[in-house]
Amino acid sequence: MPIQPGQPLDALDTPQLVIDLDVVDANVRRLFAAAKQRGVAVRTHFKSLKCAGLARHIASLGGENFLCAKLSEAEVLADAGLSDLLIANQVVGPQKMGRLAELARRVRLRACVDHPENVEQLSRAMRTAGATLGVLVEVDIGMARCGVEPGEPALQLARRIQDSPGLRFDGIQAYDGHLQMLPDAAERREKCLQGLRQVLATRKLIESAGIPVAVVTGAGTGTWEFVAGFEGVTEIQPGSFVLMDCAYHAVRPEFGCALSILASVCSVRPRWYVLDAGSKAISKDFGMPVIKGRPEEKVTRLSEEHTKVEAEPVAVRLGERREVLPAHCCATMNLHRQCVAVRRGVVEACWPIEASGRYD
Ligand SMILES: Cc1ncc(COP(=O)(O)O)c(C=O)c1O
């Protein structure tokens, strides 16, 4: 039977991916209010959500701009009526150019580049389709993934974009992914500010060449407050702050864990019990999950369909339920096809997770 609004959580089968909307609302309001106070826009990263219903919910709280890791995520958002989208990555290859151009005709779309050949490919695709794409130069400020070096290389690419029909140079993206989980907040802040100084210098260099820089964007849940309000930054792009997970919660305790996997005890042994959800339902790439509200119960192993929880004593009955807080919310959303949004234990909505399992 399909899940219906108004049903109590206790009536649902397990495993079930559950989102506590009261916690989502508190997380979103907290970050949006702080960003507004610091005069910076928020562009929520959709790779953490993958669910159009949740994106619409965030839009209803005032966050209509989204960041995407993948073209497929941007298509899901456009279909959901969200129309200010930035793909925070390089879109390459002839197969994707048609989709990108088609999307650029439907919504206000931007993408990142770090190579002149990609600029050429994008320009050709947009010209052919009669579309315009906003383009940001991705600058590497220490993550050592994509991006060009700050300074002169970024200026050269900005010039190239400006001279390319079908493209509009919009600014700079600089994401400090290597800093997000640094446990020492003072070290995280200091390293973050070092990167931001490079971004600001690059912005000034590009502007001094007569090229306007409308957008400077970056930051994640771990660094948002250092980036928001820094001179020259126009927007921040965190994603995990919405749902959160137990790994990020250790770094950012001000945001609550809204995402859990509701699971049932399927086996009781003298020193442990076992839940009916494993690594196919709970991502373990950032470590072991925790059992909500029960610090004395420790998850010691995840296999495909089972979570082993050790406790002393094991005070649990067969069929009893537990809420499991994953260590990585983004990867956990990607494992499921639907999620149940609840308030105070009652179902408010059941949403498909349209972009889960999409890597294109
Ligand atoms: C480009 C980019 N921006 C921002 C983020 C921030 O996401 P989160 O808030 O989940 O750390 C990420 C995370 O992977 C990212 O890749």
Side-chain angles (χ1 to χ4, degrees):
M1 199 180 93
I3 295 168
Q4 300 291 348
Q7 275 185 298
L9 203 49
D10 294 346
L12 306 186
D13 194 11
T14 62
Q16 198 70 247
L17 188 68
V18 177
I19 292 174
D20 187 324
L21 285 181
D22 286 334
V23 181
V24 166
D25 291 357
N27 290 346
V28 170
R29 288 199 171 108
R30 174 187 279 267
L31 187 128
F32 282 22
K36 191 171 174 193
Q37 206 181 23
R38 292 159 194 235
V40 77
V42 181
R43 182 176 290 282
T44 307
H45 205 330
F46 186 62
K47 61 111 202 182
S48 307
L49 317 175
K50 295 245 174 200
C51 164
L54 188 51
R56 273 197 227 96
H57 182 73
I58 293 166
S60 77
L61 298 172
E64 294 189 346
N65 304 342
F66 286 90
L67 189 73
C68 304
K70 293 287 174 178
L71 179 53
S72 53
E73 293 173 359
E75 289 168 335
V76 165
L77 285 169
D79 289 347
L82 294 151
S83 58
D84 190 331
L85 310 175
L86 164 59
I87 300 173
N89 279 316
Q90 292 67 24
V91 181
V92 297
Q95 296 81 358
K96 290 201 177 66
M97 289 301 125
R99 283 167 59 195
L100 191 72
E102 159 68 19
L103 197 59
R105 279 203 301 258
R106 292 170 63 198
V107 298
R108 179 178 168 76
L109 186 67
R110 295 183 174 123
C112 294
V113 299
D114 68 357
H115 199 289
E117 280 175 30
N118 191 209
V119 173
E120 174 53 35
Q121 191 177 39
L122 292 172
S123 172
R124 209 177 317 120
M126 295 305 140
R127 271 185 344 245
T128 309
T132 303
L133 181 71
V135 179
L136 304 188
V137 171
E138 180 166 359
V139 175
D140 180 6
I141 50 168
M143 192 185 181
R145 191 173 64 183
C146 302
V148 294
E149 293 296 313
E152 193 58 37
L155 170 59
Q156 280 175 22
L157 207 50
R159 280 205 175 103
R160 189 92 174 219
I161 296 162
Q162 232 208 359
D163 293 343
S164 300
L167 305 185
R168 184 187 64 239
F169 172 75
D170 277 349
I172 300 168
Q173 171 177 281
Y175 171 56
D176 49 2
H178 56 305
L179 306 179
Q180 298 305 319
M181 289 283 175
L182 275 184
D184 180 348
E187 185 191 356
R188 201 176 338 124
R189 179 174 183 276
E190 191 38 48
K191 290 193 165 148
C192 177
L193 295 182
Q194 277 169 22
L196 286 171
R197 285 181 209 114
Q198 294 182 304
V199 176
L200 183 63
T202 304
R203 177 181 185 146
K204 287 187 170 155
L205 182 71
I206 296 173
E207 284 174 337
S208 69
I211 304 173
V213 177
V215 178
V216 176
T217 184
T221 300
T223 58
W224 75 270
E225 67 168 314
F226 316 133
V227 179
F230 190 89
E231 186 195 345
V233 172
T234 64
E235 79 180 20
I236 54 171
Q237 46 179 234
S240 296
F241 74 101
V242 175
L243 294 174
M244 288 296 285
D245 49 52
C246 63
Y248 243 142
H249 190 65
V251 174
R252 283 278 173 213
E254 68 270 31
F255 297 117
C257 289
L259 184 72
S260 65
I261 296 89
L262 184 69
S264 297
V265 174
C266 62
S267 175
V268 184
R269 303 283 302 274
R271 292 203 315 281
W272 66 82
Y273 67 84
V274 181
L275 293 168
D276 65 350
S279 62
K280 282 181 173 164
I282 309 161
S283 162
K284 60 176 180 180
D285 62 334
F286 281 7
M288 285 295 148
V290 299
I291 305 298
K292 185 175 169 183
R294 296 182 187 268
E296 71 287 2
E297 299 182 1
K298 296 263 181 286
V299 176
T300 55
R301 198 200 306 157
L302 286 188
S303 45
E304 283 183 51
E305 309 296 355
H306 301 95
T307 293
K308 179 177 175 181
V309 188
E310 295 189 14
E312 195 75 57
V314 178
V316 66
R317 279 171 294 105
L318 196 71
E320 207 171 307
R321 279 142 181 254
R322 290 289 187 265
E323 284 178 67
V324 182
L325 305 179
H328 193 184
C329 59
C330 318
T332 299
M333 287 301 283
N334 191 49
L335 294 173
H336 292 257
R337 302 292 167 262
Q338 68 168 33
C339 56
V340 183
V342 304
R343 285 191 200 273
R344 273 143 277 155
V346 177
V347 174
E348 195 162 296
C350 181
W351 290 318
I353 308 176
E354 296 88 340
S356 78
R358 294 283 305 270
Y359 309 104
D360 54 328

